[in-house]
């Protein structure tokens, strides 16, 4: 294979083995100890190459590492779409207008528009979203609450609901021009949109949320159900931090997984 292909495989967390290139693809959400046992069984039953995943068995089997946010987030990236339910990875519900969601991650909403999503953005795994400064940190997880776009167009899909989950890779704070120049190829906002976030003040700091590996939910979760599950009101005008247990419940319902 060409070097560029090998680099792409390595970036995508494939491991080189004697048999070729290998990647574990775990579509589960469980506690770390259960994932450790799951991987251990795969390593023992699946033949050559899988022994390379034994280090994850040891790490995930040790409760000490659950509080190491960067390590746990990195393991979720390598074993994507796995979710470590009891890891201390901060999770935020972030509101986004449907008009922007269709270009950044929501293919269903894009299908309702004659010209679809912006292909150069939709095909990227890693993209950015601009918003006002908020109390957030990375790495983490995002649950996207998709609101109406304000264009007046009705949708046949469920809006005012959590529709997707992403990995939160990076938070960058800066002024509108600086951020637009740096991230314009990874976002769908034009400079006018970004300036509006800054209240038309070129010297006001705003935030870029860099995210990747978005999963569209099979079952969008409407606001009233979100409030019932969390046992509290949440803001749909700004981000809301939720607990790991809340995340497990919402993610399982959104992806149609059974709740362990």
């Amino acid at each position: 294979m060409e070097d560029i292909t090998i680099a792409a495989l390595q970036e995508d967390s494939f491991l080189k083995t004697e048999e070729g290139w290998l990647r574990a693809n775990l579509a589960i959400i469980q506690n770390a100890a259960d994932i450790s046992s799951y991987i251990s069984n795969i390593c023992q039953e699946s033949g050559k190459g899988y022994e390379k995943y034994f280090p994850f068995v040891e790490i995930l089997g040790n409760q000490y590492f659950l509080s190491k946010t960067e390590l746990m987030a990195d393991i979720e990236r390598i074993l994507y779409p796995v979710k470590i339910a009891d890891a201390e990875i901060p999770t935020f519900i972030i509101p986004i207008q449907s008009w922007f969601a269709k270009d950044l991650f929501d293919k269903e909403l894009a299908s309702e528009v004659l010209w679809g999503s912006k292909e150069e953005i939709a095909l990227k795994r890693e993209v950015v979203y601009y918003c006002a400064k908020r109390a957030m940190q990375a790495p983490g997880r995002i649950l996207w609450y998709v609101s109406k776009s304000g264009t007046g167009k009705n949708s046949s899909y469920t809006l005012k609901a959590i529709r997707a989950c992403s990995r939160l890779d990076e938070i960058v704070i800066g002024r509108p021009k600086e951020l637009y120049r740096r991230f314009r190829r990874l976002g769908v906002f034009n400079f006018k949109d970004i300036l509006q976030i800054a209240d038309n003040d070129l010297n006001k700091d705003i935030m870029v949320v860099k995210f990747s590996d978005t999963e569209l939910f099979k079952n969008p979760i409407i606001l009233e159900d979100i409030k019932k599950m969390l046992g509290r009101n949440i803001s749909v005008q700004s981000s809301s931090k939720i607990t790991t247990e809340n995340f497990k419940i919402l993610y399982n319902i959104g992806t149609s997984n059974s709740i362990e």
Side-chain angles (χ1 to χ4, degrees):
M1 290 186 291
E2 295 183 1
D3 289 344
I4 190 172
T5 305
I6 294 174
L9 287 169
Q10 291 172 333
E11 184 179 347
D12 222 13
S13 303
F14 280 80
L15 301 178
K16 183 72 170 66
T17 73
E18 293 181 3
E19 304 296 318
W21 291 88
L22 174 69
R23 188 190 191 285
N25 189 43
L26 308 184
I28 57 174
I29 175 169
Q30 292 182 7
N31 290 339
D34 295 324
I35 297 174
S36 175
S37 297
Y38 189 88
I39 296 174
S40 179
N41 290 335
I42 291 176
C43 292
Q44 294 174 38
E45 296 173 2
S46 298
K48 292 182 179 179
Y50 282 88
E51 69 277 359
K52 290 180 176 288
Y53 285 95
F54 266 120
F56 295 104
V57 174
E58 182 176 349
I59 293 171
L60 292 170
N62 189 331
Q63 294 287 310
Y64 168 78
F65 292 114
L66 291 177
S67 62
K68 306 299 181 182
T69 299
E70 291 191 6
L71 175 61
M72 292 293 103
D74 201 42
I75 291 176
E76 284 197 355
R77 178 187 62 80
I78 294 170
L79 301 179
Y80 172 82
V82 76
K83 300 294 182 293
I84 307 167
D86 53 348
E88 294 184 20
I89 300 175
T91 302
F92 304 91
I93 298 175
I94 300 182
I96 182 173
Q97 289 187 12
S98 59
W99 190 252
F100 298 121
K102 75 172 179 61
D103 284 325
L104 290 174
F105 58 78
D106 202 318
K107 62 182 180 181
E108 290 183 345
L109 297 179
S111 69
E112 296 187 318
V113 180
L114 180 62
W115 49 87
S117 60
K118 293 183 178 179
E119 189 175 89
E120 69 276 13
I121 296 297
L123 293 178
K124 293 182 183 293
R125 166 170 291 180
E126 187 176 62
V127 288
V128 300
Y129 178 63
Y130 300 86
C131 60
K133 285 177 63 178
R134 298 168 180 173
M136 294 172 56
Q137 69 263 32
R141 308 185 190 105
I142 299 170
L143 292 175
W144 291 104
Y145 176 85
V146 182
S147 64
K148 291 185 177 179
S149 65
T151 63
K153 177 179 174 56
N154 292 324
S155 172
S156 59
Y157 294 102
T158 304
L159 298 180
K160 295 187 177 180
I162 293 177
R163 291 184 55 85
C165 176
S166 300
R167 185 172 56 249
L168 171 55
D169 296 316
E170 186 179 4
I171 295 289
V172 181
I173 305 293
R175 296 180 178 179
K177 278 189 176 179
E178 167 197 344
L179 295 182
Y180 181 65
R181 187 180 304 114
R182 180 175 171 183
F183 295 108
R184 61 190 301 177
R185 293 182 180 178
L186 297 179
V188 295
F189 282 32
N190 57 40
F191 185 67
K192 182 180 178 181
D193 295 323
I194 296 171
L195 192 57
Q196 187 174 358
I197 294 170
D199 298 323
N200 295 311
D201 183 350
L202 289 172
N203 295 313
K204 183 176 181 178
D205 282 345
I206 60 173
M207 176 184 288
V208 159
V209 177
K210 196 174 184 181
F211 65 97
S212 59
D213 283 341
T214 299
E215 300 167 76
L216 195 61
F217 278 0
K218 299 175 185 176
N219 300 312
I221 310 170
I222 62 173
L223 182 58
E224 289 306 311
D225 289 341
I226 298 168
K227 291 178 180 178
K228 290 177 184 177
M229 293 171 199
L230 301 185
R232 63 181 175 90
N233 289 327
I234 66 163
S235 170
V236 293
Q237 305 300 322
S238 184
S239 60
S240 297
K241 189 174 183 179
I242 61 173
T243 66
T244 54
E245 186 59 34
N246 288 155
F247 170 73
K248 182 178 180 179
I249 293 170
L250 293 169
Y251 182 83
N252 271 315
I253 291 172
T255 56
S256 299
N257 291 319
S258 60
I259 300 176
E260 299 288 340

